[in-house]
Amino acid sequence: MKSTIGEAISITLFGESHGNGIGVLIDGLCPGITLDMDYINHQLTLRKPKGRISTARKESDEMNIVSGYFDDHTTGTPLCILMENSNTRSKDYSKTKDLMRPSHADYTANMKYLGFQDYRGGGHFSGRLTAPLVAAGSICNQILKKKGILIGSHLKQINNLVDDSFSQDEKELIQQIHEMNHAYFPVLNNKKQEEMIQLIEQHANDGDSVGGIIESTIINLPAGVGEPFFHSIESVLSQLIFSIPGVKGIEFGLGFDFVNHTGSEVNDTFYMDKEEVKTKTNNNGGINGGISNGMPITLKTVLKPTASIYKKQDTINFKSKEDTVLQIEGRHDPAIVHRARVVIDSVIAIGLLDLLTQRYGYLWMGEE
Ligand SMILES: Cc1cc2nc3c(=O)[nH]c(=O)nc-3n(C[C@H](O)[C@H](O)[C@H](O)COP(=O)(O)O)c2cc1C
Ligand SMILES: C=C(O[C@@H]1CC(C(=O)O)=C[C@@H](OP(=O)(O)O)[C@H]1O)C(=O)O
């Protein structure tokens, strides 16, 4: 029952949506790093709910760093960040306590924790826990950024509306990553952005929800990063990304579309670009044998439509063991895709910093 992930850099996540607070413990950071608090807060803002496309619950997500940071530097000892829960409305959950929300973790948590779990607001299984995850990931991300390694994501699809794809041209891609990293609702095609927002609002008005796909890319990751056998880049990133509530699928590079092609169509052939080894195509998403080949890492993640909808749904009363009908109250996201984007970027940063530290040693983190 460990809530910890990682080898050289490890992250422990704790808390419940309606408990006193939530937090994260980061172990393995190099001493002497000055944290860019503005950057971390900017990342946290990208995860915060906004407008009718998000939950009405508003939390400050203010960070309280209680250990591992002294005199504006990391000490190298475990760094612990706490955040308060203050805008809880637990009465929304008391009435329906025994009614299991379809597709949420109420039933499975009851089975695992024998009924002793904090059920309020999805408890430990709430998307609320992704706030400290973003704080930890943003620390890792700022270290990667200093090394020139950039991570960026956009909303590739919301329900049936599809955005453009990231550019294949390096200069244009860097520009797109910067733009997406500053946008609250990151879509490459401005026209699609408006349509997507309207679609989410429309379903929210109907008491329903929608899902979507996030496309992510990582550039300037040197070739040779990734560990055998179970710590391939795909394995490490997938485990982290699948830990995000609501994620139901991931593909790297061409992913499931590989099935529609022959080897001669999709093999990424090599060539020399002056002194650099490159591939003409990047169908493998920058990874061969679980190890980076120096091309951009590309992946897509699918998030399901939010489980808690306001339409009436069939369910069971867990206590009386009867079929019943559930009408959810409370404040929920009609789509979680836009808020989950920065969570994905953050866990990618955690996984990559872990693998890079395994390759280059932990003092590498602090080297200019
Ligand atoms: C940022 C974020 C916000 C979320 N908001 C909600 C929400 O308001 N209502 C809800 O039912 N699920 C929400 N979820 C998803 C649930 O937490 C998730 O579906 C649930 O824990 C069950 O896990 P699973 O979908 O991975 O099986 C959110 C997830 C994230 C990442
Ligand atoms: C509070 C946040 O998101 C919550 C994620 C969530 C869920 O079921 O995942 C349900 C809602 O809250 P509550 O737990 O009060 O029902 C969301 O508001 C947050 O992300 O900070």
Side-chain angles (χ1 to χ4, degrees):
M1 285 228 301
K2 280 208 299 181
S3 295
T4 301
I5 192 164
E7 301 290 325
I9 299 285
S10 68
I11 301 288
T12 303
L13 196 63
F14 54 89
E16 282 86 22
S17 184
H18 289 214
N20 289 337
I22 50 182
V24 66
L25 184 77
I26 313 163
D27 215 341
L29 288 174
C30 168
I33 297 173
T34 298
L35 297 184
D36 181 345
M37 300 300 177
D38 289 343
Y39 172 70
I40 303 171
N41 282 319
H42 167 262
Q43 296 295 93
L44 286 167
T45 305
L46 295 179
R47 199 205 68 91
K48 279 187 188 170
K50 200 160 130 185
R52 288 197 297 135
I53 58 170
S54 309
T55 171
R57 179 173 165 184
K58 298 279 182 287
E59 292 285 355
S60 72
D61 291 350
E62 200 176 310
M63 289 187 295
N64 180 11
I65 303 182
V66 296
S67 71
Y69 200 65
F70 176 65
D71 261 353
D72 290 332
H73 290 92
T74 52
T75 57
T77 56
L79 191 147
C80 182
I81 300 174
L82 301 179
M83 287 178 187
E84 267 185 19
N85 291 322
S86 53
N87 187 223
T88 54
R89 219 172 62 185
S90 304
K91 69 173 172 40
D92 291 337
Y93 285 87
S94 48
K95 264 198 273 174
T96 51
K97 171 179 184 296
D98 298 317
L99 308 190
M100 305 295 98
R101 281 176 296 166
S103 288
H104 212 292
D106 303 343
Y107 170 66
T108 48
N110 256 301
M111 295 306 288
K112 179 164 174 64
Y113 296 103
L114 314 176
F116 290 104
Q117 77 283 0
D118 183 348
Y119 62 84
R120 301 165 303 167
H124 187 61
F125 300 92
S126 172
R128 175 94 194 105
L129 272 87
T130 59
L133 206 50
V134 169
S138 305
I139 292 176
C140 300
N141 210 339
Q142 73 168 74
I143 295 169
L144 298 183
K145 277 205 312 166
K146 274 203 173 151
K147 306 283 181 188
I149 300 166
L150 299 181
I151 303 168
S153 301
H154 72 109
L155 311 183
K156 175 73 191 150
Q157 190 165 341
I158 299 280
N159 196 232
N160 60 348
L161 295 175
V162 183
D163 187 23
D164 301 342
S165 285
F166 271 131
S167 173
Q168 304 289 318
D169 176 78
E170 205 178 312
K171 260 197 186 151
E172 217 170 82
L173 180 60
I174 293 174
Q175 179 64 24
Q176 287 178 331
I177 292 174
H178 283 305
E179 277 171 24
M180 295 303 104
N181 285 346
H182 284 92
Y184 180 75
F185 196 92
V187 179
L188 297 168
N189 181 328
N190 284 340
K191 214 174 118 228
K192 284 285 157 57
Q193 184 192 53
E194 205 39 54
E195 287 175 26
M196 285 175 173
I197 291 172
Q198 276 175 14
L199 188 79
I200 298 173
E201 287 177 351
Q202 207 177 305
H203 285 285
N205 290 343
D206 284 350
D208 217 334
S209 64
V210 286
I213 293 174
I214 294 174
E215 182 183 39
S216 307
T217 190
I218 301 138
I219 58 168
N220 299 333
L221 185 69
V225 178
E227 299 290 317
F229 195 95
F230 303 109
H231 294 86
S232 68
I233 293 189
E234 291 108 320
S235 323
V236 169
L237 296 189
S238 298
Q239 193 180 354
L240 280 156
I241 294 172
F242 271 122
S243 307
I244 301 171
V247 168
K248 285 294 172 186
I250 297 181
E251 63 177 24
F252 288 85
L254 212 52
F256 283 88
D257 193 28
F258 268 123
V259 75
N260 298 312
H261 298 275
T262 61
S264 62
E265 287 168 355
V266 290
N267 280 354
D268 296 318
T269 52
F270 288 105
Y271 73 100
M272 293 305 302
D273 181 14
K274 297 188 186 105
E275 296 295 296
E276 261 184 277
V277 176
K278 288 197 175 164
T279 61
K280 288 182 192 157
T281 50
N282 190 20
N283 295 318
N284 287 276
I287 308 167
N288 299 131
I291 299 169
S292 57
N293 66 12
M295 296 296 288
I297 307 286
T298 62
L299 61 138
K300 290 198 191 94
T301 305
V302 65
L303 285 122
K304 70 187 191 185
T306 320
S308 305
I309 55 174
Y310 299 101
K311 282 180 187 285
K312 286 185 179 163
Q313 299 178 86
D314 290 338
T315 191
I316 53 150
N317 183 315
F318 187 73
K319 206 167 172 188
S320 67
K321 302 280 182 271
E322 284 167 328
D323 290 342
T324 186
V325 173
L326 169 66
Q327 171 83 69
I328 288 176
E329 291 182 13
R331 300 162 295 176
H332 293 280
D333 294 291
I336 59 181
V337 198
H338 56 292
R339 300 188 59 210
R341 172 279 302 254
V342 68
V343 187
I344 290 181
D345 289 349
S346 302
V347 299
I348 288 175
I350 293 169
L352 291 183
L353 188 65
D354 189 7
L355 288 170
L356 282 156
T357 305
Q358 288 174 52
R359 178 150 173 82
Y360 299 118
Y362 97 135
L363 290 178
W364 169 86
M365 260 183 258
E367 286 165 12
E368 293 295 329

